[in-house]
Amino acid sequence: MKQFLTVGDIGDLGKAIEEAKQVKATPFAWQELGRNKTIILVFFNSSLRTRLSSQVAAQNLGMHAIVLNIDKDSWKLETEMGVVMDGDKTEHLREAIPVIGSYCDIIGVRSFARYESREFDYQETILKQFIEYSGRPVISLESATRHPCQAFADLLTIEEHKTVARPKVVMTWAPHPKALPQAVPNSFAEWMKAAPDVDFVLTCPEGYDLAPDIMEGVTLERDQKKALEGADFVYAKNWASYEHYGQILSKDRSWTVDAEHMSWTNNAKFMHCLPVRRNMIVSDEVIDGPNSLVIPEAANRVFSIQTVMKRMLEDLSRGK
């Protein structure tokens, strides 16, 4: 595996989930794979779960993990080609990336959408430069448009907690005071569409449809109550508008997932990627309730990314 950016990079989802379950059951079984290997985790943005889960996963595999916080632990980096560097940026990614690659065996990169240009964000300019110039396998730790490690952990959580063979999984938009990227909902929708035994429904207000390629094949229900009826899992998430890029079109609190919303479901489990704005995205009684999966969901972040790292290390050991 040379890169992990989308669901297409993981191959057969059934095999990937079974492998993740095995990794979870015996997390230290592959430490020889990572012995004398280094992963550098490059963060352009803040993180809690991604940072910690990546480090734990690397250590479980016997690797040495180095965290690099851009603009804090390094020079400020220019990301665009062809610019005159007469501002506050001291170094260009074009030089920084191959240097980073020379110090490690695998690279993880986290870089959010800037919301300055939809074209720039959706071209994944920063992530693609790491793939092109590093000479190393690259893991997306969340990019402008995708968060595959989160979606992998989400699917693992659903597989562990489902009570019917083909659960109904609903992702519902919820209000938020800030404009959030589409990375998590994009990846969640992609992984749910690819999962063989999931009925996936997306519900959101007008103006909040995801990118056209993401929406293709998705069951969209504008009426949140209808969408939630009979749901086995409810994934609440905010994202800003794709059509009116980066804009907040609504803060309608009637979309906040509370006990009444959950009463419309089939005793559904509640999910969220965290961090979460309590009583905006979800009420206290729901997130603290017995059907909340947010903590085991976060714990599974270790085993989703560890499965990806394991596959990359196996390929490196075979000289691929």
Side-chain angles (χ1 to χ4, degrees):
M1 181 184 284
K2 293 295 185 184
Q3 61 186 41
F4 182 61
L5 315 179
T6 73
V7 67
D9 295 321
I10 201 68
D12 184 286
L13 275 184
K15 291 180 180 179
I17 290 297
E18 289 307 309
E19 187 173 350
K21 289 179 179 179
Q22 185 182 13
V23 166
K24 185 173 182 176
T26 55
F28 308 113
W30 296 274
Q31 289 200 334
E32 278 303 303
L33 276 177
R35 190 163 65 92
N36 298 328
K37 295 289 192 298
T38 298
I39 184 169
I40 295 182
L41 306 168
V42 183
F43 286 86
F44 288 82
N45 306 95
S46 301
S47 174
L48 190 152
R49 279 148 295 278
T50 299
R51 180 191 302 268
L52 296 179
S53 64
S54 300
Q55 289 179 272
V56 170
Q59 291 166 6
N60 287 350
L61 289 167
M63 278 195 289
H64 181 52
I66 299 173
V67 174
L68 178 66
N69 300 296
I70 300 300
D71 293 351
K72 296 179 182 178
D73 300 332
S74 73
W75 302 110
K76 287 190 175 182
L77 296 180
E78 179 57 62
T79 60
E80 298 190 54
M81 301 299 290
V83 299
V84 176
M85 292 177 58
D86 60 353
D88 66 341
K89 306 294 177 60
T90 307
E91 186 167 3
H92 200 288
L93 273 182
R94 183 63 184 85
E95 290 78 56
I97 291 171
V99 168
I100 293 169
S102 72
Y103 298 151
C104 67
D105 302 280
I106 299 172
I107 297 176
V109 183
R110 181 180 179 96
S111 178
F112 288 173
R114 295 177 175 180
Y115 274 147
E116 296 171 1
S117 163
R118 187 171 72 185
E119 181 181 12
F120 180 89
D121 288 343
Y122 271 75
Q123 285 178 347
E124 294 289 11
T125 304
I126 293 174
L127 189 59
K128 285 181 178 177
Q129 289 186 71
F130 274 90
I131 294 168
E132 183 176 358
Y133 302 134
S134 71
R136 297 289 182 257
V138 174
I139 301 172
S140 170
L141 304 177
E142 186 172 3
S143 68
T145 68
R146 301 290 192 281
H147 198 346
C149 296
Q150 179 65 56
F152 190 0
D154 293 337
L155 181 57
L156 175 60
T157 305
I158 289 168
E159 287 295 315
E160 289 177 327
H161 292 273
K162 68 182 183 181
T163 57
V164 295
R166 189 177 179 87
K168 179 180 178 181
V169 179
V170 178
M171 171 168 274
T172 177
W173 179 92
H176 195 281
K178 296 175 62 178
L180 297 188
Q182 290 116 28
V184 169
N186 280 349
S187 276
F188 189 76
E190 283 188 328
W191 284 67
M192 292 302 106
K193 287 194 295 180
D197 296 315
V198 167
D199 285 326
F200 177 60
V201 177
L202 177 71
T203 183
C204 61
E206 292 280 353
Y208 280 100
D209 291 10
L210 300 171
D213 61 316
I214 302 293
M215 294 301 297
E216 185 176 353
V218 169
T219 299
L220 174 63
E221 173 55 68
R222 293 285 181 214
D223 187 317
Q224 189 189 31
K225 184 173 183 179
K226 287 183 180 179
L228 292 175
E229 288 175 354
D232 299 292
F233 293 89
V234 174
Y235 199 119
K237 186 70 182 77
N238 175 267
W239 60 91
S241 176
Y242 173 84
E243 181 182 2
H244 305 281
Y245 194 63
Q247 295 183 27
I248 298 174
L249 306 180
S250 173
K251 294 182 182 180
D252 184 355
R253 294 282 298 280
S254 71
W255 284 78
T256 300
V257 176
D258 58 17
E260 180 182 2
H261 288 70
M262 296 299 286
S263 73
W264 304 332
T265 72
N266 182 33
N267 194 33
K269 304 294 186 182
F270 176 80
M271 301 178 68
H272 189 279
C273 59
L274 301 180
V276 66
R277 299 274 185 139
R278 283 173 174 253
N279 302 306
M280 283 290 293
I281 301 289
V282 58
S283 68
D284 289 335
E285 60 189 341
V286 171
I287 196 170
D288 292 331
N291 282 12
S292 174
L293 294 180
V294 296
I295 303 305
E297 182 182 0
N300 276 340
R301 289 293 308 279
V302 171
F303 309 111
S304 63
I305 196 167
Q306 187 172 337
T307 302
V308 172
M309 291 178 184
K310 172 179 171 287
R311 289 189 175 189
M312 288 183 170
L313 289 169
E314 287 170 341
D315 282 351
L316 287 173
S317 71
R318 292 191 289 262
K320 291 187 177 180

